[in-house]
Structures are given as C-alpha cells and as structure tokens.
Amino acid sequence: MTAAVDNRAGRPEIIAKTAEFAAPIALVVLWVAFFVATPNFLTVDNIGDLLVASTILTVLALGQQFAVVVGGIDLSVGANLPWAAALLGYTTSHGYSVGVGIVVAVLGGLAVGFVNGVLVGRLHMTDFVVTLGSLSVVSGFTLLLTHGNTVAVNSRFLQRLALDGIGPVRWFWLLALVAALIVAGIIFRTRVGTHLLATGGRLEAARDTGIAVDRIRLLAYCLSGLLCGVAGVMLVARNGGADPSLQTTYLLSSIAAVVLGGSSLSGGKASVLGTVCGAVLFTSLINGFTILGISQYYQPIAVGAVLLLAAAISRFRK
C-alpha cells in the first residue's frame, strides 16, 4: 500500500523532469518521423539549410526569453522584426552604407523594446496590453515607412553573411551561437541575470530584497527589442529585402519555443539550450511539411497545436 502511494507521488515529479527536456525530446522524435516519411529530410544539405533558417527564430526567441523570464511577454516582436528590417532597407535605399543601416535597424528594435519597458516597468502597465498596442503601432509605422512595399537591399556583405561561412560552418550559425552564449552568460553568470530570475520568480520578494525590479523589467524588454533588431538584419540578409508584413508566425513561434524549451510563462525560469531546440523544432516542422508537399495552410495549425502543447507542458513544470 505504501509503495503504491509512493509510486503515485513520484509520477508528477517524473513527468515534471521529463517536461524539462520537452524540446530536445520532441526535436529528436520529429526528425525521426520525417526521416521515416522521406529520405530527403536528413541530408547534409537540407539540415544545413534548416539550421540556417532556424537562426532568425532562435535569435528572436532568445530575446523573447528575457521578457518571459521576468514574468512578462513581448507580443510586439511580430511587428518589431519587420520594423527593424524596414529601417535597414530605408536607410540603404537613401544612400547610406549597409553598416549604418545595420546600426539603425538594431537601434530601432532597441527603441521599441525601450518604450515597452518604460510602459511596463516604470508605469506598471500590463505587459500584454502594452506589447499588443506596440504590435499595432509599430506595424503602422513600418507600412508608412515603406508605403506597404518590400524594399530591396542589394548588399554583397549581407548576401555573404547569409550564404557563406568558414568551411561547413555558416555565418548565421555562428551568429546564433554567439547570441545564445551571450544570453546564457547574462542570465546564469551575472548579477543582472540573478535579478531577472528573482524578479520573475517573486516580484514583491525581489523588491523587498532591494532589487530595482522596475529597472530590471525595463532592461528585459530592451534586450528583447535589441535581439529583435539583430533578427531583423538577419531577415534582410536571408531574403534580400525588407518585407513590411506583420510576422505573426514568428511571434507565435518565438513564444512557443521559449515555453517548450523550459522557461515558465509565470517567470523566474529560463533555458537557453531548450529555447534553441524549440526554435529548431518549429523550423524543422515547416521544413518537413514543405518536403512532404503538405499544404502551407496546415502550417499555422501545426504551430498553434505545438503552442498549446507548450502551454500544457509549462503547467507540468510548476
């Protein structure tokens, strides 16, 4: 009788520990399933292209993780991404160098994050409402800036950034790796990271210990916006231009990648490796669908289903 009770008591703990590795496990299962379905999936060329495609979402999700770790959410990334890309396109199309355009794009992404951080951290407005409002406002500014048209960016540097590398290692991979290492270093190896986790874990307790929680939340959204700007530059490099369209899929996938990767929507918990695996998983899903010839109309259904799964897994981790 006692053994049976112990077994039942241990099950939630086992489920919770398994949920910690949900993203890597799901990624392996998905790759095996696609390999069984088609031999064209696990080829060197396809995996290389898949990883390059996943880097933009990876950088975006790493930024989203800063907002999530303090118990918030950044819905504005769906508009901030094309906004940063549009700033790069607008700057270069008006005679400025690509270097200047990249700086303007990154600073533009940072500016959106700063505004979000001020409203959430300083004025204590609800993060969902603030970033939803930013999503609409920034999307409108992007359309005004580009007149609703895609802005072509002809740059050999950006082309080489997207296509070349060192031997088999592509530059995009290195960018994503550097971003992941920097984010991991900030969250797990600095006092700022400790304050970010503490703020998301227990806000009032963090405030009582002397942590400037308003400033920390402001910083979290600034970092999210900064990485969104970097992702915008990568998007232009990969596509050869700036598309002003709202990037809803990137928004949903960035949130799901963070949660599926091991972070908690209630804050106070982060997993950089899990977030990276979550981003690769979503890209693999789209890639596999394309190879199998599955209609693109099923893709948002799959993304939404995995998002719901990520929310369910997050519940088991509590």
Side-chain angles (χ1 to χ4, degrees), residues 77-290:
V77 299
N80 199 3
L81 180 64
W83 163 249
L87 286 173
L88 174 53
Y90 181 86
T91 304
T92 55
S93 66
H94 282 72
Y96 294 93
S97 68
V98 172
V100 172
I102 291 173
V103 172
V104 170
V106 174
L107 290 178
L110 173 61
V112 175
F114 176 78
V115 172
N116 288 336
V118 169
L119 296 178
V120 173
R122 295 294 190 181
L123 301 184
H124 303 152
M125 296 174 64
T126 306
D127 49 64
F128 182 89
V129 175
V130 167
T131 57
L132 182 61
S134 296
L135 177 75
S136 180
V137 171
V138 175
S139 179
F141 276 125
T142 303
L143 293 173
L144 288 172
L145 186 68
T146 62
H147 302 288
N149 300 315
T150 298
V151 181
V153 179
N154 297 315
S155 166
R156 181 161 179 77
F157 169 75
L158 291 178
Q159 289 176 352
R160 294 183 62 184
L161 181 66
L163 300 176
D164 296 344
I166 304 175
V169 180
R170 310 277 279 274
W171 291 121
F172 262 31
W173 300 355
L174 293 177
L175 277 174
L177 176 61
V178 169
L181 290 176
I182 292 175
V183 171
I186 292 173
I187 294 178
F188 301 114
R189 291 290 184 270
T190 67
R191 179 179 295 181
V192 169
T194 301
H195 291 179
L196 285 166
L197 293 167
T199 299
R202 291 187 178 181
L203 182 64
E204 293 304 324
R207 182 178 282 113
D208 290 342
T209 59
I211 295 175
V213 295
D214 292 351
R215 188 180 303 170
I216 289 296
R217 295 174 79 187
L218 169 61
L219 176 63
Y221 282 95
C222 284
L223 291 172
S224 177
L226 178 69
L227 286 173
C228 199
V230 174
V233 174
M234 296 172 71
L235 187 65
V236 172
R238 180 166 173 77
N239 294 341
D243 183 359
S245 303
L246 194 65
Q247 299 292 328
T248 307
T249 300
Y250 272 114
L251 165 60
L252 295 176
S253 297
S254 70
I255 298 171
V258 171
V259 179
L260 189 64
S263 300
S264 172
L265 281 173
S266 58
K269 193 171 186 179
S271 173
V272 173
L273 177 60
T275 296
V276 172
C277 288
V280 175
L281 185 148
F282 276 99
T283 310
S284 301
L285 193 64
I286 303 302
N287 178 273
F289 276 16
T290 302

